[in-house]
Amino acid sequence: MRHPEPHELNGLTGRRVLITRTADRARPLASLLSGLGAEPLVLPLIDFEKAGDQAALDASLDRLVAGDFDWMVISSITTVRVLLEKAAQRGVALADLVPAGTKVATIGPSSRQVLESVGLTVALAPAEVQSAEGLLAVWKASSGRVFLPQADIATPGLRDGLAATGADVTSVVAYHTVDYPARAELRLTAELSSGVAVSACEVPSTLSPEEAHAALDAGTLDAVVAASPSAARRIAQLFPALGTCRFVAIGRPTAAEASRIGLTVAVTAKEPTPDGIVAALESIFANEGNPQ
């Protein structure tokens, strides 16, 4: 998608956009927004910790290495970070954990890019609806053994959907989703490829919840971007009233959760990527002119 040059009139010039992720994960979107004349701000709301039951995760990984699974399904980038840490503990590369006979599936192009950046070949990923629902729509395997490492708060839809096709699904908790910040001793520390997870731009300004609240009260935030259903829940807890600030969801699950808890969704990104989020933001502001 072609983006306007910074000097061209576009709906993002001068807009202040709050990204509810940690600074490192917010950088790609922040860089794109800055290039379009917007002011990206960061408010970390959720973080990730190692799973409490490491024995169950390790046992499943032993089975993976032994070739016991026909498929490994990855539904989040954070799961890749967990697998990177586990591979490092074993003194091998992540790709060495996955036998040649085990196919890898994921939820969309962004996750595919991350997996391929760490040496894995992706056999299946939806091109349109980038979510668990999208993966199930293109899933053709009617049987086989599936390894599904997920967050502790993952909804059962993907697991149950795979099982409904006849797959033998081994679902294991790979990590815990917690309020930011994670405890230092449990925080995931593995870094993804610099070309995928972060960019070379400066770290965007990070706000505290109190500073974000003051900005909302003052009407100086134009949009807030939620990257997951858990982020939507945290936004609703911290900021019951968004005022003129528009809520932007990166996908259907986030939009559905936001609506369920009473947040008004201004727009849902068609793709959960920086380009997709920017396109969603542009659709809101394109006809409003630039703020004074």
Side-chain angles (χ1 to χ4, degrees):
M1 182 179 71
R2 191 187 77 85
H3 294 297
E5 296 297 326
H7 65 272
E8 293 179 342
L9 180 64
N10 68 80
L12 294 181
T13 301
R15 299 292 182 180
R16 303 181 82 220
V17 179
L18 187 64
I19 308 169
T20 56
R21 308 184 93 170
T22 54
D24 59 335
R25 300 186 74 188
R27 281 180 186 171
L29 175 57
S31 177
L32 198 52
L33 288 170
S34 294
L36 293 169
E39 180 185 356
L41 302 165
V42 169
L43 174 64
L45 292 182
I46 61 172
D47 210 343
F48 308 101
E49 294 182 349
K50 298 173 184 178
D53 189 353
Q54 290 291 304
L57 179 56
D58 285 329
S60 293
L61 290 174
D62 287 341
R63 290 183 59 196
L64 175 68
V65 173
D68 284 353
F69 296 110
D70 301 295
W71 286 89
M72 178 173 70
V73 176
I74 303 297
S75 59
S76 77
I77 292 174
T78 305
T79 299
V80 182
R81 296 183 66 195
V82 172
L83 296 178
L84 283 170
E85 290 199 0
K86 285 298 183 181
Q89 290 172 8
R90 297 177 182 222
V92 300
L94 193 160
D96 294 330
L97 295 181
V98 185
T102 301
K103 296 179 181 179
V104 178
T106 190
I107 60 173
S110 297
S111 298
R112 177 196 288 271
Q113 182 186 10
V114 171
L115 288 165
E116 290 177 345
S117 77
V118 296
L120 292 174
T121 298
V122 176
L124 183 65
E128 298 298 327
V129 181
Q130 298 177 37
S131 65
E133 178 185 23
L135 177 58
L136 290 172
V138 299
W139 183 264
K140 301 300 182 183
S142 59
S143 62
R145 296 157 298 178
V146 177
F147 175 44
L148 179 63
Q150 289 186 296
D152 59 322
I153 61 171
T155 61
L158 181 56
R159 180 196 66 206
D160 293 350
L162 292 170
T165 69
D168 178 9
V169 182
T170 297
S171 178
V172 62
V173 173
Y175 61 92
H176 292 289
T177 303
V178 299
D179 291 348
Y180 181 87
R183 290 170 288 181
E185 68 275 15
L186 295 178
R187 178 178 288 114
L188 298 177
T189 58
E191 296 292 337
L192 298 174
S193 167
S194 60
V196 175
V198 299
S199 69
C201 71
E202 294 182 0
V203 177
S205 298
T206 299
L207 303 184
S208 67
E210 293 76 19
E211 290 169 331
H213 209 297
L216 283 170
D217 290 343
T220 58
L221 287 180
D222 295 291
V224 56
V225 178
S228 65
S230 53
R233 290 191 290 271
R234 286 287 288 145
I235 289 170
Q237 291 169 357
L238 291 171
F239 315 116
L242 292 179
T244 59
C245 181
R246 285 79 161 181
F247 181 94
V248 179
I250 72 158
R252 292 180 183 176
T254 301
E257 180 65 7
S259 297
R260 186 189 71 80
I261 59 181
L263 292 172
T264 299
V265 179
V267 67
T268 302
K270 293 182 179 180
E271 296 182 357
T273 62
D275 279 346
I277 296 166
V278 163
L281 287 162
E282 288 176 333
S283 73
I284 299 175
F285 299 120
N287 298 319
E288 296 186 10
N290 297 322
Q292 301 299 318

